[in-house]
Amino acid sequence: MSRVVNRIGYPTQVSATASGLTVSFASIDSAEFQDAFDFRTIDRNVSSESWSEKFDWTEIHTLSELSSNIIPAGMIFHHARCGSTLMVRLLRCFKIQVYAEPLSPNYLLMPPMKIDKHHIVPAIRFLVHLIGLHSGAPFIIKHTSWNAIFAGEFVRAFPHTPWVFVARDPVATAMSVLETPPFWLRSSGRFTPYAREFGPIETVEQFVAAMLAAFVTIVTDLPKKNGQLVLYDELPGAVVDRVSDHFGLNKSAPDYKSLEAASNAYSKNEVGESTEYVTPDKVETTNIPQALSDALQNTAMPAMRRLLNELRRESGRRRDFERC
């Protein structure tokens, strides 16, 4: 190709047309990305210079065919409210760039998608390539929770990249999601076609259970060679014990005082905040609404049991999710 980009910046926004992609960039140094979420970094640097560039599909597909060596050191999938932000904080202690829910893949994949299916994997590879150019060093991406719907496309784009799926007891997850809805629940209409494949969605409880089943089932069906399951209860220890090795990180690299501080802090603190993490009260089974219990038993729980059987069979570690 004659070029990848004219200038290197963080890709903030993407719009698709029949001819290609228009990508907006912001001139924000990679060292600034220490927030719990990338959008906060952009908000903190709102006065940064910005610009846009257009890329036609020929350019994008050509880059894909070249199998660029700018690929993530690791990818994190999750279903929300499961400890993935804590994982980001801990991995940053290993002195590696971690992008927390980068915006450009979200704009590309936002349902209903506006691009043909054969463009999806090349476009993902292209946008992650741009993120890698911005990093200028090895990097990890933690995807937005609903990106798990497209986990198969991300894995096809980067078949040799190790990935993890962070999961939590479906009961505790559903209760937390209903209390503080993530984007996929706040914008449920966008995700109805995906949820409907996994069960009835006549109530909000059924929708939440079906979406959890969708995330879990899609990840379960991925090739297992490069994947690991990390449960909420295994954090923070699993990051040092397993995930760091899985992502090829140097265990001698982290500042263990920083690891301890990250483990004890509220992971979604703003930059400069120091609020400590408070362990939430255990979800009592007697407090679970019957409608939610029924919905989870019909969809999310069977999906989680299958995930455990598929992804954790070799390790021998098992967990009982029979809580509804």
Side-chain angles (χ1 to χ4, degrees):
M1 283 195 311
S2 59
R3 60 149 189 156
V4 175
V5 290
N6 293 322
R7 296 175 59 189
I8 293 176
Y10 176 83
T12 58
Q13 195 167 2
V14 177
S15 60
T17 66
S19 60
L21 298 177
T22 299
V23 182
S24 298
F25 296 88
S27 181
I28 304 174
D29 191 272
S30 60
E32 287 288 325
F33 284 80
Q34 299 300 317
D35 294 85
F37 305 99
D38 282 10
F39 78 84
R40 289 185 181 174
T41 304
I42 295 170
D43 289 347
R44 286 194 299 105
N45 293 271
V46 67
S47 60
S48 298
E49 182 184 2
S50 60
W51 67 95
S52 298
E53 292 190 40
K54 293 183 177 181
F55 305 90
D56 62 47
W57 288 120
T58 300
E59 287 184 283
I60 293 166
H61 281 263
T62 300
L63 176 64
S64 177
E65 292 166 3
L66 290 175
S67 299
S68 167
N69 61 359
I70 298 182
I71 62 176
M75 295 188 291
I76 302 168
F77 301 106
H78 62 103
H79 54 53
R81 312 294 186 264
C82 56
S84 61
T85 306
L86 172 59
M87 182 176 287
V88 168
R89 298 292 199 188
L90 296 169
L91 287 170
R92 284 175 177 161
C93 296
F94 287 81
K95 302 178 178 63
I96 189 168
Q97 184 79 38
V98 184
Y99 291 97
E101 306 191 6
L103 302 182
S104 53
N106 291 349
Y107 282 105
L108 175 74
L109 300 171
M110 183 68 67
M113 275 194 295
K114 300 177 181 179
I115 64 174
D116 292 338
K117 288 185 177 180
H118 75 283
H119 289 319
I120 295 176
V121 169
I124 286 173
R125 190 177 287 124
F126 177 69
L127 292 177
V128 173
H129 181 93
L130 298 181
I131 293 170
L133 287 176
H134 175 260
S135 174
F139 65 102
I140 293 168
I141 291 179
K142 187 200 93 166
H143 297 290
T144 306
S145 58
W146 62 264
N147 286 176
I149 291 172
F150 301 98
E153 285 78 4
F154 281 102
V155 170
R156 285 198 292 276
F158 303 103
H160 304 297
T161 293
W163 54 270
V164 300
F165 181 62
V166 189
R168 187 182 182 187
D169 176 350
V171 174
T173 302
M175 296 285 279
S176 179
V177 160
L178 288 169
E179 182 178 353
T180 310
F183 177 79
W184 55 261
L185 180 53
R186 299 195 309 272
S187 301
S188 57
R190 292 182 179 272
F191 299 96
T192 294
Y194 303 98
R196 188 177 286 124
E197 294 183 24
F198 294 89
I201 53 171
E202 296 176 1
T203 67
V204 66
E205 293 86 359
Q206 289 177 335
F207 177 82
V208 168
M211 284 297 291
L212 292 178
F215 297 145
V216 169
T217 301
I218 289 167
V219 170
T220 303
D221 290 339
L222 294 176
K224 308 301 186 297
K225 179 180 178 182
N226 295 316
Q228 283 194 9
L229 172 66
V230 178
L231 295 179
Y232 175 84
D233 289 352
E234 296 179 305
L235 296 171
V239 174
V240 176
D241 296 340
R242 294 194 286 122
V243 178
S244 58
D245 285 342
H246 187 52
F247 287 169
L249 305 182
N250 183 355
K251 280 195 175 182
S252 64
D255 176 345
Y256 283 90
K257 289 185 178 180
S258 297
L259 278 173
E260 182 178 4
S263 299
N264 294 328
Y266 177 53
S267 61
K268 296 180 181 178
N269 278 338
E270 301 277 357
V271 169
E273 287 185 336
S274 57
T275 305
E276 290 191 358
Y277 176 71
V278 177
T279 304
D281 294 334
K282 185 177 181 180
V283 176
E284 296 295 339
T285 56
T286 55
N287 295 332
I288 302 169
Q290 190 62 45
L292 179 60
S293 176
D294 292 344
L296 292 171
Q297 286 285 15
N298 289 333
T299 54
M301 301 296 268
M304 183 62 78
R305 284 193 291 269
R306 179 171 170 247
L307 172 66
L308 289 173
N309 289 335
E310 292 286 335
L311 282 182
R312 307 199 71 191
R313 183 177 296 143
E314 294 182 2
S315 69
R317 291 187 301 271
R318 300 188 63 84
R319 166 76 189 277
D320 180 14
F321 279 95
E322 299 289 350
R323 298 186 56 188
C324 289

